[in-house]
Amino acid sequence: MARTTRTAHQQPEQVAAPTSTQPRRFIKQAAVRGHTTLSTSEIYRRIAAGTFPAPIKLGPKSVAWIESEVLAWCEARIAESRGEAA
């Protein structure tokens, strides 16, 4: 039996237009791990320490990261490692 998650009385969510000229893209945890090579527990340790971008809550059991924030974090680590100005 197929399960539907939307009933007839529910309205679709309104989506705000991106505020910048570049569209935002949400990525899930597996993609964050792929970009950073950090483990899940290390990602959450760094979020708690305030040294890694926090995820966006998409629903009661779903979070995602903004890809540009994760990539900016990666670029900052590269610059820091090479002694360059970030």
Side-chain angles (χ1 to χ4, degrees):
M1 180 188 287
R3 181 177 172 193
T4 60
T5 58
R6 191 170 175 202
T7 62
H9 69 278
Q10 290 177 321
Q11 297 295 320
E13 292 183 27
Q14 296 295 321
V15 178
T19 56
S20 67
T21 58
Q22 191 176 51
R24 291 189 176 155
R25 180 175 165 197
F26 289 141
I27 57 173
K28 299 298 277 180
Q29 184 184 73
V32 174
R33 288 193 322 263
H35 282 302
T36 65
T37 71
L38 297 174
S39 68
T40 299
S41 55
E42 184 60 23
I43 289 169
Y44 281 100
R45 270 196 286 283
R46 290 177 186 217
I47 291 167
T51 60
F52 192 81
I56 306 300
K57 189 170 185 169
L58 300 178
K61 295 182 179 182
S62 179
V63 297
W65 282 258
I66 298 173
E67 184 178 43
S68 61
E69 291 179 357
V70 173
L71 294 176
W73 179 89
C74 292
E75 291 299 321
R77 299 296 68 74
I78 293 168
E80 182 182 295
S81 166
R82 295 183 177 165
E84 301 168 2

